[in-house]
């Protein structure tokens, strides 16, 4: 890892609790940059020494869900850096909020663009129809299409959405965005506000959702939204499951109006065995895998934020609890 962007950390002598299923990997990545720090690595909040380490540590680098589990019985740290972009569990009733929380930022753009691209290509190149033809011993399959000229709308036009747009642009697609308010944003020819959702949908051959979970984004993808999409469109959800009215999505697939859907997130994860997502036609269910947090990418972000924390500077990805993210 290159530590040139985080000068002055060699002298840091504090305690840091690392609470994540990849805790040991984070510890190994951080140790060289923080030779004088006391790094307490734990994969579960239930470990025998976790409470003691948490009490000693003013700084936590932690999975949001594991941190919430620990906060239920532990005083909050001065600063919590989460290993995820989503921080919804911190808004649960009775969870004491740390004075300062920062989300994982700057590490998901390429991963999520690759996810979108995977299913856009699978859809246009008829990958699954060709796999069926192979199994049948049939040389002739459907004619593939191209991404060139497709109208792609990215709902959630912030940092990750702009990365997704930048990485999709070379494929010759037209790109528009959706944000809380209509405004110019890098990478998009036009950005709609949430109040124009259905008219925005009518333009899109591919609709990609990466909006965060806020009161304004719950249940927005409903029957009227799916009806507004052009016939045969592709819907990709790698944002939050609560944005989708799930029976309406299934109905749009079953009646043939929606061409396909790639669904990475659900209201209940995993969905129960009887959930229609397991059997819906032309629906790819991908187990919340679109944007994994890779420790090698997040460790430099944490080190830069630690430098900022020590210097009293604003953190990257600092959470505004009034806004919800």
């Amino acid at each position: 890892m290159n530590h040139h962007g985080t000068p002055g950390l060699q002298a840091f002598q504090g305690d840091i609790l690392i609470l994540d299923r990849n805790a040991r990997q984070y510890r190994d990545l951080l140790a060289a940059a923080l030779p004088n720090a006391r790094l307490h690595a734990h994969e579960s909040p239930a470990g025998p020494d976790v409470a003691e380490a948490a009490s000693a540590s003013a700084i936590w680098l932690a999975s949001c869900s594991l941190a919430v589990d620990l906060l239920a019985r532990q005083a909050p740290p001065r600063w919590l850096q989460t290993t995820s972009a989503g921080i919804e569990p911190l808004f649960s009733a009775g969870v004491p909020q740390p004075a300062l929380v920062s989300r994982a930022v700057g590490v998901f753009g390429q991963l999520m663009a690759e996810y979108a691209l995977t299913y856009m290509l699978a859809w246009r190149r008829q990958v699954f129809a060709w796999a069926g033809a192979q199994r049948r011993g049939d040389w002739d399959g459907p004619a593939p299409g191209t991404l060139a000229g497709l109208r792609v709308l990215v709902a959630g036009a912030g940092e990750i959405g702009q990365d997704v747009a930048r990485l999709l642009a070379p494929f010759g697609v037209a790109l528009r965005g959706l944000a809380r308010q209509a405004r110019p944003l890098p990478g998009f020819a036009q950005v709609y506000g949430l109040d124009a959702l259905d008219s925005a949908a009518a333009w899109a051959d591919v609709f990609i959702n990466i909006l965060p979970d806020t009161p304004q984004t719950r249940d927005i993808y409903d029957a009227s939204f799916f009806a507004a999409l052009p016939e045969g469109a592709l819907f990709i959800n790698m944002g939050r499951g609560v944005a989708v009215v799930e029976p309406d999505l299934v109905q749009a697939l079953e009646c043939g109006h929606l061409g396909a859907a790639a669904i990475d997130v659900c209201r209940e994860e995993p969905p129960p065995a009887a959930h229609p997502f397991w059997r819906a036609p032309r629906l790819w269910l991908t187990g919340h895998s679109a944007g994994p947090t890779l420790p090698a990418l997040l460790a430099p972000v944490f080190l830069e934020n630690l430098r900022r924390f020590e210097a009293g500077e604003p953190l990257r990805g600092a959470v505004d609890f009034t806004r919800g993210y």
Side-chain angles (χ1 to χ4, degrees):
M1 189 192 299
N2 180 351
H3 305 300
H4 298 307
T6 51
L9 293 181
Q10 300 275 327
F12 178 82
Q13 296 184 344
D15 289 78
I16 298 172
L17 171 67
I18 305 169
L19 183 59
D20 188 272
R21 62 190 179 90
N22 296 311
R24 283 175 287 189
Q25 195 176 347
Y26 280 113
R27 180 191 60 202
D28 294 346
L29 287 164
L30 297 176
L34 302 169
N36 296 302
R38 291 174 294 280
L39 303 173
H40 308 277
H42 296 274
E43 295 173 4
S44 161
D49 304 320
V50 176
E52 188 179 340
S55 297
S57 303
I59 298 167
W60 295 3
L61 170 63
S63 149
C64 194
S65 57
L66 297 184
V68 164
D69 196 8
L70 189 56
L71 284 168
R73 56 183 190 278
Q74 196 76 34
R78 284 177 55 208
W79 166 40
L80 166 64
Q81 167 72 57
T82 73
T83 57
S84 61
I87 50 142
E88 291 82 11
L90 285 172
F91 293 88
S92 305
V95 174
Q97 291 172 347
L100 199 55
V101 178
S102 50
R103 302 180 298 119
V105 293
V107 296
F108 298 112
Q110 173 139 353
L111 290 162
M112 296 181 88
E114 287 172 358
Y115 178 91
L117 188 57
T118 296
Y119 292 98
M120 289 167 64
L121 286 168
W123 170 63
R124 293 301 279 166
R125 300 294 307 194
Q126 303 275 5
V127 165
F128 293 98
W130 278 101
Q134 179 181 344
R135 284 193 299 273
R136 293 190 305 272
D138 187 353
W139 177 253
D140 296 313
T146 177
L147 299 187
L150 282 180
R151 296 171 302 187
V152 179
L153 193 143
V154 180
E159 180 193 36
I160 294 174
Q162 289 166 32
D163 270 349
V164 169
R166 177 175 55 80
L167 290 158
L168 293 181
F171 292 88
V173 300
L175 287 154
R176 293 185 184 178
L178 186 86
R180 281 179 302 155
Q181 286 99 30
R183 62 190 188 277
L185 286 169
F188 300 103
Q190 179 179 350
V191 178
Y192 302 92
L194 265 179
D195 56 350
L197 176 61
D198 285 3
S199 57
W203 174 83
D205 300 310
V206 179
F207 191 102
I208 300 170
N209 177 55
I210 52 175
L211 287 167
D213 175 17
T214 69
Q216 293 73 41
T217 61
R218 284 177 201 154
D219 301 318
I220 57 173
Y221 303 126
D222 57 9
S224 73
F225 164 79
F226 290 114
L229 287 170
E231 187 170 352
L234 171 66
F235 176 71
I236 297 174
N237 186 18
M238 47 185 178
R240 289 292 174 257
V242 291
V244 176
V245 179
E246 294 178 344
D248 292 358
L249 169 58
V250 172
Q251 172 61 24
L253 287 163
E254 287 179 342
C255 76
H257 179 74
L258 192 60
I263 301 299
D264 192 56
V265 288
C266 305
R267 286 174 181 265
E268 185 179 349
E269 296 184 357
H275 197 288
F277 277 3
W278 293 112
R279 286 163 292 281
R282 304 179 310 286
L283 187 150
W284 297 297
L285 194 59
T286 59
H288 212 131
S289 63
T293 305
L294 303 181
L297 297 181
L298 186 61
V301 174
F302 172 74
L303 288 171
E304 168 59 16
N305 264 350
L306 178 59
R307 183 198 66 75
R308 292 176 180 221
F309 180 75
E310 289 291 282
E313 298 172 9
L315 303 185
R316 286 190 65 202
V319 171
D320 177 347
F321 279 96
T322 61
R323 195 171 61 178
Y325 58 92

